[in-house]
Every structure is written in C-alpha cells, then in structure tokens.
Amino acid sequence: HYEELGRLIDRTLAPDGLAFVHTIGRSRPQPLNRWVATRIFPDAHPPALSEMARIFEPNGFAVLDVENLRLHYARTAQHWLTRFQRAWPEIVTRVPEETARAFELYLAGTVAAFRCAWMCLYQVVFARAKNDAVPWTRADLYAAAHAAR
C-alpha cells in the first residue's frame, strides 16, 4: 500500500513540513523468509528502497536523508534474545514450549539477519520537492539534539 501511504502523507504534510518513514526493509526486493512469514509475521513484506520510492515519487516528495541502522537493530535484537533466554523458565509457564522455541529461533535469526545485512532498518526523511525550509546537513539535526539536552 505504498501509493496509498504516499497519498495520505501528501494530504496531511504541511507545505514546509518534514516526513519520516522508519521501517525494517531489504537491500533488494525479495519475499520474506517463508517460515517467518508463516509463523511470526503473516503477510509481512519488508520493502527495498526501490519499492518505497512509490511513496515519494508519485507525490512529488524529495528524499533528504536515508540511514540504515541495521547494526543498531542487530544489537537490540541480541539484547531481546539474551533477556528471552534468561526468562525461559517463566516463558514456558505461559506459552507452550513449541511457541517459545519458535520465538527464540526467530530472535536468533533476527540477530543474524541484521548482522549479515539480509535485513535492514531504514530511516528515510523526506519533504515536498519545493520545500526549501530543510536542514542543509545532518549537523543541523545533531545540533538541535545537543541543544535539547
């Protein structure tokens, strides 16, 4: 539903506004692992940037910045897996062991997928193409964050 999302953003974004998409994605278009698509995220489709272009291009948006935080997400998923494994005795009192093992496998696979770049974590900042009220560099973004602290 990329085109539909783009139209919604187009209807709601102020003329001088910035928009942001944060999504798990892929380096190229391909289907999600069948086991994950069946057992964990039915009907999910992590997009490639080329697929996400259908949000931006038909609506006259200009992409200002793209960042891939896959290694950050790999570390986050590793923390989740470690906590999950520590809590194993409690977990198996709440869900069947088969379900718990499926989620442990999913978390371990997630760590591996982000470490080896099978999966990505994209953050895309964009605006209307004619919007000149945009940061010149990322330094402006970091300065604002520093001032807020």
Side-chain angles (χ1 to χ4, degrees), residues 89-143:
E90 166 90 17
I91 291 167
V92 294
T93 67
R94 296 173 178 251
V95 300
E97 188 171 337
E98 180 182 339
T99 301
R101 291 204 183 285
F103 275 87
E104 183 180 31
L105 177 61
Y106 163 71
L107 288 171
T110 297
V111 172
F114 281 89
R115 283 186 181 158
C116 73
W118 181 252
M119 300 295 291
C120 301
L121 180 66
Y122 293 124
Q123 293 188 337
V124 182
V125 179
F126 58 102
R128 297 187 184 283
K130 295 180 182 179
N131 179 2
D132 290 335
V134 298
W136 282 65
T137 67
R138 281 188 180 174
D140 294 335
L141 302 173
Y142 299 133

Side-chain angles (χ1 to χ4, degrees), residues 9-146:
I9 295 168
D10 186 41
R11 285 195 310 271
T12 58
L13 185 63
D16 62 347
L18 298 176
F20 177 79
V21 172
H22 171 95
T23 188
I24 289 174
R26 298 284 182 107
S27 295
R28 61 185 176 87
Q30 58 190 341
L32 188 59
N33 171 283
R34 190 169 50 152
W35 183 85
V36 173
T38 302
R39 301 284 308 265
I40 308 296
F41 291 117
D43 300 321
H45 178 74
L49 288 172
S50 60
E51 294 169 301
M52 292 174 61
R54 296 190 317 242
I55 297 170
F56 317 123
E57 292 175 359
N59 295 290
F61 296 132
V63 172
L64 303 174
D65 190 59
V66 178
E67 192 166 14
N68 183 353
L69 298 172
R70 73 174 178 81
L71 293 176
H72 294 265
Y73 202 78
R75 182 179 289 180
T76 297
Q78 181 62 61
H79 286 293
W80 292 339
L81 176 60
T82 300
R83 288 183 177 100
F84 187 91
Q85 289 169 332
R86 269 195 230 129
W88 184 263
E90 166 90 17
I91 291 167
V92 294
T93 67
R94 296 173 178 251
V95 300
E97 188 171 337
E98 180 182 339
T99 301
R101 291 204 183 285
F103 275 87
E104 183 180 31
L105 177 61
Y106 163 71
L107 288 171
T110 297
V111 172
F114 281 89
R115 283 186 181 158
C116 73
W118 181 252
M119 300 295 291
C120 301
L121 180 66
Y122 293 124
Q123 293 188 337
V124 182
V125 179
F126 58 102
R128 297 187 184 283
K130 295 180 182 179
N131 179 2
D132 290 335
V134 298
W136 282 65
T137 67
R138 281 188 180 174
D140 294 335
L141 302 173
Y142 299 133
H146 183 70

